[in-house]
Amino acid sequence: MGKVHKIFSTVADKYDLMNDVMSLGIHRVWKDRFVKLLSPSWNSVHLDVAGGTGDIAFRIMNLLQAGSENQVIVCDINEAMLRVGKQRAIAEGIQDERLQWVQGNAEKLPTASGSVDTYTIAFGIRNVTYLDKALEEAHRVLKPGGRFMCLEFSQVDNPILGELYDFHSFKVIPILGEIFARDRDSYQYLVESIRRFPTREQFCDMMRDAGFQGVSVETVQCGIAAIHSGYKL
């Protein structure tokens, strides 16, 4: 966790650029799809974990109607990421008391049991040390009927595209990281963390082991990323 914390402290100011580099900018489309599938409901509490820069939270806020009593909580273990998110909120004119920023660990959330309606985590869970603990915590904080959703890089289904993707990941991304962020090593780590993440089927099984039901997965861009969903029933 110390290495991961250091990496994200280093890349916090360049995090959005980092996602653009790693996904060729397509992550924005994926996140739009992710929040559309979430379909945040009226007067609900939404917890976005590892969401320090606010990408998912801002999308949720933009979908909410003015005057609703929805609450969006951004939780991130890294104070530098939260700082960037708060700065972005000010820059984008999102000054709303319904949006809260909390520093916390996905493996031990500072959130009461059964207190949130939806839990989201986008491109963050692969950096958690103990996935089972993070999933158990997600299940704990959700209300009965609450929904867990995770957007994460995955395994490419098409062999030819897979070869191109591997080349881009291991040869191109570290170089771009050096050029745009002057940080080759952090980008190299992030690429490797994608390859270490469980397969879609394995992650679905882990969700079920944590207590989630109605588990499903949707792939995007031929499996470059995947959206996992499950419910606490």
Side-chain angles (χ1 to χ4, degrees):
M1 181 58 70
K3 179 179 180 180
V4 174
H5 189 277
K6 181 179 179 180
I7 286 173
F8 280 90
S9 294
T10 301
V11 304
D13 291 321
K14 301 283 188 180
Y15 185 71
D16 293 325
L17 174 62
M18 178 185 73
N19 281 334
D20 283 331
V21 168
M22 293 185 71
S23 71
L24 301 179
I26 305 173
H27 73 99
R28 300 174 188 275
V29 177
W30 300 343
K31 289 172 180 174
D32 288 342
R33 173 64 178 167
F34 182 63
V35 174
K36 183 178 180 181
L37 287 174
L38 177 67
S39 186
S41 58
W42 185 269
N43 295 343
S44 297
V45 179
H46 311 276
L47 176 64
D48 184 43
V49 177
T53 60
D55 256 10
I56 300 301
F58 297 160
R59 283 171 168 79
I60 293 174
M61 293 295 295
N62 288 335
L63 285 179
L64 301 178
Q65 298 181 25
S68 72
E69 296 181 4
N70 294 73
Q71 182 180 2
V72 179
I73 305 167
V74 180
C75 179
D76 200 294
I77 196 171
N78 192 290
E79 62 277 8
M81 296 287 284
L82 290 169
R83 171 181 52 79
V84 171
K86 293 175 183 177
Q87 291 172 345
R88 280 190 61 197
I90 293 172
E92 296 182 21
I94 305 176
Q95 301 283 333
D96 197 313
E97 62 183 13
R98 296 174 300 170
L99 178 61
Q100 299 181 18
W101 306 86
V102 177
Q103 186 172 1
N105 189 333
E107 297 171 20
K108 192 175 182 181
L109 292 168
T111 310
S113 298
S115 63
V116 302
D117 297 283
T118 50
Y119 173 118
T120 55
I121 183 166
F123 302 119
I125 202 163
R126 74 179 185 279
N127 298 307
V128 171
T129 304
Y130 299 104
L131 288 176
D132 54 345
K133 290 184 179 179
L135 289 170
E136 289 168 3
E137 275 292 272
H139 191 272
R140 177 185 68 80
V141 302
L142 283 167
K143 298 176 183 177
R147 188 180 189 184
F148 167 88
M149 286 187 64
C150 171
L151 171 63
E152 189 53 86
F153 287 109
S154 187
Q155 300 82 33
V156 178
D157 298 320
N158 184 293
I160 296 176
L161 179 59
E163 290 183 9
L164 293 173
Y165 181 61
D166 284 343
F167 179 81
H168 174 73
S169 297
F170 289 102
K171 301 297 183 181
V172 178
I173 286 178
I175 294 174
L176 293 177
E178 178 67 30
I179 294 172
F180 291 108
R182 298 181 181 178
D183 190 351
R184 184 189 184 102
D185 291 344
S186 292
Y187 282 71
Q188 183 71 42
Y189 162 81
L190 292 167
V191 168
E192 293 170 356
S193 72
I194 295 172
R195 297 304 186 270
R196 291 195 297 267
F197 194 70
T199 65
R200 294 187 288 274
E201 295 75 15
Q202 290 171 337
F203 192 66
C204 283
D205 287 339
M206 294 182 73
M207 289 173 61
R208 295 186 185 98
D209 289 343
F212 288 103
Q213 300 182 41
V215 174
S216 64
V217 59
E218 174 183 307
T219 58
V220 291
Q221 301 297 136
C222 298
I224 293 177
I227 298 172
H228 286 80
S229 174
Y231 295 87
K232 177 179 179 178
L233 301 176

